[in-house]
Amino acid sequence: MEIVAQTVASGVLLGLILALSAAGLTLIWGVMDIVNFAHGDFLMLGMYASFFAWAVLGLDPLLALPGVVAALGLFGVVVYLGVIRPVLRGSVLAQIFATFGLGILLRGVAQFVFTADYRQIGDTMATGSFAVGPVHLGLPQTIAALGALIVSGLLFALLDRTTVGTALRATAEDRSAAELMGIDTRRMFALAWAVGAGCVGAAAGLLAIYFPIFPDVGAVFGLLAFVTVALGGFGSVGGAMLAGVLIGVVTSVAGLIFDPAYKFTVAYLLYLVVLVIRPQGLLGRA
Amino acid sequence: MSAPPLLDVSGLTARYDGAPVLHDVAIAVQPGSITAVIGANGAGKTTLLRALSGLVRPSGGSIRLEGIEISGRRAHGIVRLGVAHVPEGRHIFARLSVAENLRLGGYVLRDNASLERSRSIVFDLFPLLRERAGQRAGTLSGGEQQMLAIGRALMSRPRLLLLDEPTLGIAPLLVARLFDAIVRLPSLGTAVLLVEQNVRVALEIASTGHVLQTGRVVLQGPGQELLGSDLVRKAYLGI
């Protein structure tokens, strides 16, 4: 029994980070109907940013977090202006290839510049573990999860409580009508990329506290983010949060029951089952 | 015609999917007036309004708002100049609350005091919107959604309101209430350019009317005069 509680707890901790990264992906999709296939590679870049802030500047990843979020947000805007806007008038296929190709490029460049070595941030502020009843939680994992929860809360507050967030949601629902309100929807697109990539940056910076960093690190997390978004319902930030935690728990428990090597298989299986029963995802609109 | 027109459209041409929809259209709207455009389906009425608000880029001609050329500007910039557009089919933000819809209607306003003023004007015109402020806009009835669409457009305190088929698919009881509100707009400083399939009511409240046929203005004049014209009586009133 204790091992189940332990497994569920660590699943929730990872799930919260997964949820935050998926929220960034679904926000961009919701506002402008574009799937960022380079999403996982954005995560990889954010983790390297954290690593070098630590290795070169000696900054603890928690202290570097605001900088990593800002850097990724800026990178998101640059990608929107340089890659996305030129292909907006093109076919859907052109849009898919643009972000897919960008992902391959980022991975290749990372391989070349950073080498394929595994990196790990050492001696961070958050080390050790603590016990809650029978469950032992790693402090780095717990702090990363709490951080993800806080950033997710900020994202919700931005979308729900501010005028600019309302304008983002309006742009997502009806672009022409938003224009008629005086909302510059192109600026909203850029903002969606800034906020979406910023969320990935936050997830990356938190994950980097304890997770190894390498050029392909985005592959698994990127794929999981897509499953999370689809499971939660495309465009639904709340759905992505729910699905992120769910997938975190499911993979963790699956690793316990079956061989850990198969734990992600169960997540994809869950996704396929939901797809058959409820194609719009858990909180998606049909 | 002593006062210069608020809106002065001349030689306007526009295409839709490459096919010409408007040919050399000329229309003027006087400040504080109601001007009607009538015509059959496909005559180009909706495209005309979309060209005026910047949703469609005109292929030629001129659109002047108090003498300033606005043709070719993007929609979000034209709103700031004082032109609000209530599109056909209302296009309210169904997933947002009534209050949030109204807030976005006042997106171009700079301070809370102006927002508050706009809200009180809109709530005075449509008291129902105050009662429904916290409700999701998608749960309103068709007529209520039309009130919200008009109220939302008025939040920016426009000098010119473009109204596209406000009574389409609305229950008759609410149609009367909508028109009661529309005739009050000039006294609030908002001139109205009204596109309407309800030809009789539209021409009754309009100081000037234009008849659009296959993208051309074929007849114009005072609303009452058009109501008595052979063309309008035969083609649109069926008498």
Side-chain angles (χ1 to χ4, degrees):
Chain A
M1 205 55 230
E2 280 163 25
I3 185 123
V4 174
Q6 178 74 49
T7 310
V8 169
S10 39
V12 169
L13 293 187
L14 182 67
L16 284 169
I17 295 178
L18 198 57
L20 175 59
S21 121
L25 183 65
T26 207
L27 179 71
I28 293 172
W29 160 265
V31 170
M32 57 185 304
D33 292 0
I34 282 203
V35 178
N36 178 19
F37 284 100
H39 184 79
D41 305 290
F42 278 42
L43 187 89
M44 176 270 294
L45 282 187
M47 291 179 81
Y48 272 107
S50 271
F51 175 78
F52 285 109
W54 170 77
V56 177
L57 305 173
L59 268 183
D60 189 271
L62 275 178
L63 295 178
L65 193 63
V68 173
V69 171
L72 259 286
L74 192 66
F75 182 67
V77 174
V78 169
V79 166
Y80 165 68
L81 292 176
V83 180
I84 304 305
R85 241 175 90 169
V87 297
L88 274 183
R89 285 164 183 278
S91 69
V92 175
L93 214 54
Q95 297 169 6
I96 291 173
F97 284 143
T99 60
F100 195 75
L102 175 70
I104 293 174
L105 176 75
L106 292 177
R107 226 169 305 154
V109 169
Q111 192 98 243
F112 182 74
V113 178
F114 306 141
T115 75
D117 293 350
Y118 275 51
R119 321 270 188 158
Q120 180 91 47
I121 296 178
D123 20 272
T124 59
M125 294 197 299
T127 48
S129 65
F130 61 100
V132 184
V135 178
H136 288 264
L137 299 175
L139 198 57
Q141 286 81 352
T142 307
I143 287 190
L146 279 179
L149 206 56
I150 291 169
V151 176
S152 303
L154 291 175
L155 175 67
F156 270 108
L158 172 79
L159 290 177
D160 238 45
R161 300 263 178 267
T162 68
T163 304
V164 78
T166 314
L168 264 176
R169 285 184 290 139
T171 305
E173 186 175 335
D174 190 329
R175 191 187 165 186
S176 298
E179 276 279 327
L180 290 179
M181 302 299 104
I183 296 167
D184 184 343
T185 52
R186 282 189 201 159
R187 200 174 287 178
M188 287 298 138
F189 288 173
L191 183 67
W193 277 86
V195 175
C199 286
V200 187
L206 292 165
L207 200 57
I209 296 176
Y210 62 89
F211 207 85
I213 301 155
F214 49 100
D216 271 341
V217 70
V220 153
F221 284 103
L223 206 52
L224 277 181
F226 289 115
V227 175
T228 305
V229 165
L231 185 61
F234 266 92
S236 164
V237 174
M241 304 300 300
L242 180 69
V245 174
L246 195 63
I247 287 183
V249 172
V250 165
T251 51
S252 189
V253 171
L256 179 70
I257 299 173
F258 312 107
D259 188 289
Y262 296 125
K263 63 180 185 177
F264 294 125
T265 316
V266 177
Y268 300 133
L269 203 64
L270 169 73
Y271 166 56
L272 284 179
V273 170
V274 171
L275 212 58
V276 170
I277 300 171
R278 199 178 154 79
Q280 72 271 36
L282 295 174
L283 300 188
R285 285 167 292 269
Chain B
M1 292 284 162
S2 50
L6 172 66
L7 180 78
D8 191 5
V9 178
S10 64
L12 185 69
T13 56
R15 296 165 177 279
Y16 187 80
D17 271 349
V21 178
L22 298 176
H23 309 271
D24 197 22
V25 168
I27 279 179
V29 176
Q30 301 302 324
S33 74
I34 295 179
T35 304
V37 175
I38 62 169
N41 276 337
K45 306 186 299 288
T46 291
T47 303
L48 171 65
L49 293 196
R50 288 171 65 85
L52 297 181
S53 68
L55 286 180
V56 163
R57 191 174 277 267
S59 46
S62 132
I63 303 169
R64 285 172 186 276
L65 187 73
E66 288 187 333
I68 300 167
E69 183 64 53
I70 62 167
S71 172
R73 293 197 197 206
R74 290 179 56 210
H76 67 85
I78 291 179
V79 188
R80 283 169 202 277
L81 298 173
V83 180
H85 182 178
V86 181
E88 183 180 0
R90 309 183 284 266
H91 286 269
I92 53 149
F93 302 113
R95 275 144 39 188
L96 306 188
S97 70
V98 168
E100 285 174 324
N101 270 273
L102 293 177
R103 174 65 191 84
L104 291 179
Y107 190 76
V108 299
L109 300 179
R110 297 195 172 278
D111 55 283
N112 282 327
S114 336
L115 271 174
E116 225 19 79
R117 259 199 310 280
S118 289
R119 263 191 212 107
S120 65
I121 290 170
V122 169
F123 286 153
D124 182 47
L125 213 52
F126 301 115
L128 185 118
L129 295 181
R130 190 199 299 271
E131 295 161 28
R132 302 287 166 90
Q135 203 168 317
R136 262 168 82 111
T139 63
L140 299 179
S141 77
E144 292 165 351
Q145 289 189 14
Q146 189 64 58
M147 289 179 188
L148 176 59
I150 296 174
R152 185 180 66 173
L154 289 173
M155 283 295 292
S156 64
R157 304 297 317 282
R159 288 177 290 169
L160 174 64
L161 184 70
L162 310 172
L163 270 179
D164 197 348
E165 305 277 17
T167 67
L168 196 64
I170 306 293
L173 194 72
L174 286 174
V175 169
R177 277 171 68 188
L178 282 172
F179 271 105
D180 284 346
I182 292 168
V183 294
R184 284 176 63 192
L185 297 181
S187 68
L188 296 170
T190 298
V192 178
L193 182 58
L194 172 69
V195 160
E196 188 45 70
Q197 30 100 34
N198 196 335
V199 170
R200 183 183 298 279
V201 187
L203 290 181
E204 270 168 7
I205 65 167
S207 54
T208 315
H210 299 75
V211 180
L212 204 60
Q213 276 183 359
T214 58
R216 289 188 171 80
V217 176
V218 293
L219 189 64
Q220 58 183 318
Q224 294 295 338
E225 208 170 277
L226 287 191
L227 266 179
S229 73
D230 282 347
L231 175 80
V232 171
R233 287 164 62 91
K234 281 195 186 117
Y236 301 105
L237 298 175
I239 44 180

